[in-house]
Amino acid sequence: MSKPVLAIVGRPNVGKSTIFNRIAGERISIVEDMPGVTRDRIYSSAEWLNTEFSLIDTGGIEIGDEPLLHQMRQQAELAIEEADVILFMVDGTEGITAADEEVAKLLFRSKKPIILGVNKIDNPERRELLYDFYSLGMGEPIGISGTHGIGIGDLLDAAVAHFPELEEEEKDEDTVYFSLIGRPNVGKSSLVNAILGKERVIVSDIAGTTRDAIDSKFEKDGQKYVIIDTAGMRKRGKVYESTEKYSVMRALKAIERSDVVLMVINAEEGIIEQDKKVAGYAHEAGKAVVIVVNKWDAIEKDDKTMRDFEQKIRDHFLYLSYAPIVFVSALTKQRLHQLYPVINQVAENHSLRVQTNVLNDVIMDAVAMNPAPMDKGKRLKINYATQVATKPPTFVLFVNDPNLLHFSYRRFLENRIRETFGFVGTPLRILARQKNE
């Protein structure tokens, strides 16, 4: 099931990023302080009234050296294309500008639900500034203050009310759902075609739940698979090609619907910052991950080439230390057959559940061997551990004080769990809860 998308649009300096941070900062669905995760400030997962959604700050999209008005138009077009609801931000203290009117015309023609947020309405005296903005034809303006957090709830209430009703996607538990993500030109389409080529036993196009999505269903060695695709990942055109940074947003819907995500890297170009941004979302979304190095046939190799490249990946993707790495070539089909057992393994681990008594034995042995360090005279005490969820495997530790479970000790416990149970290819979540006395 794909989350609805809320995009923030408006000319520069109206407070888009402040509002973005307000909405995302306190309500972000997954927050994890992981070294090596490069966060892209243009998107976030957020939640309001028990409704999860994706949030875009179009002001964070850099579109070359285009003139400002042209950039704004392109940013608005991107938002119109991707968003279910658009939050149009204006500055109440400056009134309606020519740039506001230009963006308003573009948004009005989109036929998308538009919420008009008038920023910098910091006190009751400024509410009279709202009346001018009725002339934009966007309905009732909502007065807000990004700096002080005033009116954000009203803004989100209006946005959620316009979100489309989502139908639960019926998934076959015996089918592995996976997607290919990565920045443009790493060979995702070629890999999809190679996977669906002579290898396939059954192939059909089935309608996905994402708008305009086409999923490909096939079977290999008795195992059923669905490759999840979105129209956004196949789009071509000047706007999309001019902003590589925006490719992250186009992959979000596919990631959300996947069990396994294949993070594709171009062997010829190596690893760049954009790769980390795309992979970071798959990790934070709690999906099983396989790192696929494509175009391996184009690399001159010696006996150390693969090992050195693998080490580079580990150095750049510290947070994906659990992800297996497969070197392939979509062009020559080299090592393509190795993908299937790896996909199967990580999918199985992603849904693996361990017995509570065995889990507690592992945790207690780990604590006995390496007790948590003292913190202001107090030491973490773990009374009990249990697995509360799969996809990803999620564990709750009942402790004397959750604040005493520091990152380094959480990582130590995660490593012990992995040493015992494997969990190759899947992130783990370890949560601390206060034990009721």
Side-chain angles (χ1 to χ4, degrees), residues 215-231:
D215 296 345
S216 298
K217 184 177 182 180
F218 70 102
E219 188 172 318
K220 170 76 173 174
D221 297 331
Q223 173 64 54
K224 296 177 183 176
Y225 302 91
V226 170
I227 299 183
I228 292 171
D229 189 19
T230 67

Side-chain angles (χ1 to χ4, degrees), residues 38 50 61-62 64 70 99 119 132 164 175 200 203 205 212 238 253 268 318 339 363 400:
T38 304
N50 296 319
I61 305 168
E62 299 159 4
H70 187 60
N119 196 19
D132 287 346
T175 299
R200 66 189 179 182
V203 176
D205 288 334
D212 299 328
K238 186 177 178 183
K253 296 183 184 77
E268 291 181 293
L318 295 174
L339 271 180
I363 295 295
N400 57 331

